[in-house]
Amino acid sequence: MFDKCILRFFSIASVCIGLHAPSYADPLVVDLGNTVPAVEQVKEGLFPEEACEELRKNGFKCMGFKPAVRFSIPNAHFQLGSAELPHELKKQLDVFAQVLGNRPSDSPPILVTGHADASGDAAFNQVLSAERAKAVRSYLIQKGVSPSLLRIEGKGAEKLADANNPFAPANRRVEISRQ
């Protein structure tokens, strides 16, 4: 029992501090890169307070928890000027669908944020990034996630993952977080 709690603590800590450091080094961002996350990683990253609640149920005192993280998903970057979901991205999104598909309707909303690189003008990039977020939302709904749980926004090329190269494919991504 104690070993299980220690293992759980370290898995929560690794999610909360991030498994990969994104280029913009925000400590609350988990850059998934090319990896397909584990269901527990996504659940504990988006809903860390539930791990604390589980400790309490097992008779342990919870000394607080890290804030929810934002998952950056640049895998199989979107094609230039496209909102079509790459196959590899769908594999990552399937894990999010597993976690979010069973959430009660009064759960905290989830924000899907689309991003673009700097290759288009600002207006085009804004629309494109919103379309990317909308495509992810539609995919998650198709996989059983309640539409009322998901919000979307587009950031255009406003928050680049690779600011040193505004045209880098890594900037064409989506992020999933708590709102």
Side-chain angles (χ1 to χ4, degrees):
M1 173 79 169
F2 180 73
D3 291 342
K4 185 177 178 182
C5 287
I6 293 295
L7 181 62
R8 185 147 180 80
F9 169 78
F10 283 113
S11 73
I12 292 168
S14 69
V15 167
C16 291
I17 62 173
L19 297 178
H20 300 91
S23 59
Y24 42 88
D26 183 336
L28 296 179
V29 175
V30 175
D31 185 355
L32 293 178
N34 295 324
T35 62
V36 176
V39 169
E40 281 300 312
Q41 178 188 5
V42 171
K43 182 179 176 190
E44 292 168 357
L46 290 176
F47 307 102
E49 68 279 1
E50 291 177 2
C52 210
E53 210 39 56
E54 190 174 315
L55 286 172
R56 285 188 191 112
K57 285 180 188 173
N58 289 317
F60 293 96
K61 184 175 181 180
C62 182
M63 302 301 287
F65 50 86
K66 298 276 187 183
V69 298
R70 186 172 69 236
F71 289 94
S72 181
I73 312 175
N75 187 16
H77 317 287
F78 287 93
Q79 293 298 311
L80 196 59
S82 172
E84 185 177 331
L85 300 178
H87 176 72
E88 292 81 5
L89 178 61
K90 289 179 181 179
K91 288 194 274 187
Q92 291 174 313
L93 293 175
D94 287 343
V95 177
F96 284 87
Q98 277 184 277
V99 171
L100 299 173
N102 297 322
R103 302 297 306 171
S105 60
D106 62 346
S107 288
I110 300 299
L111 180 63
V112 179
T113 305
H115 296 272
D117 64 18
S119 60
D121 67 32
F124 176 78
N125 285 339
Q126 181 61 41
V127 170
L128 178 60
S129 63
E131 289 297 317
R132 288 175 175 160
K134 194 182 303 181
V136 168
R137 181 181 187 272
S138 295
Y139 183 82
L140 292 172
I141 291 169
Q142 174 190 344
K143 292 291 185 170
V145 178
S146 170
S148 65
L149 189 60
L150 301 169
R151 310 283 186 272
I152 62 167
E153 72 176 353
K155 290 287 189 180
E158 191 178 301
K159 294 196 176 208
L160 300 173
D162 185 351
N164 293 327
N165 183 358
F167 303 102
N171 294 318
R172 301 189 300 262
R173 69 194 190 285
V174 292
E175 293 178 342
I176 299 177
S177 61
R178 291 258 297 266
Q179 189 167 17

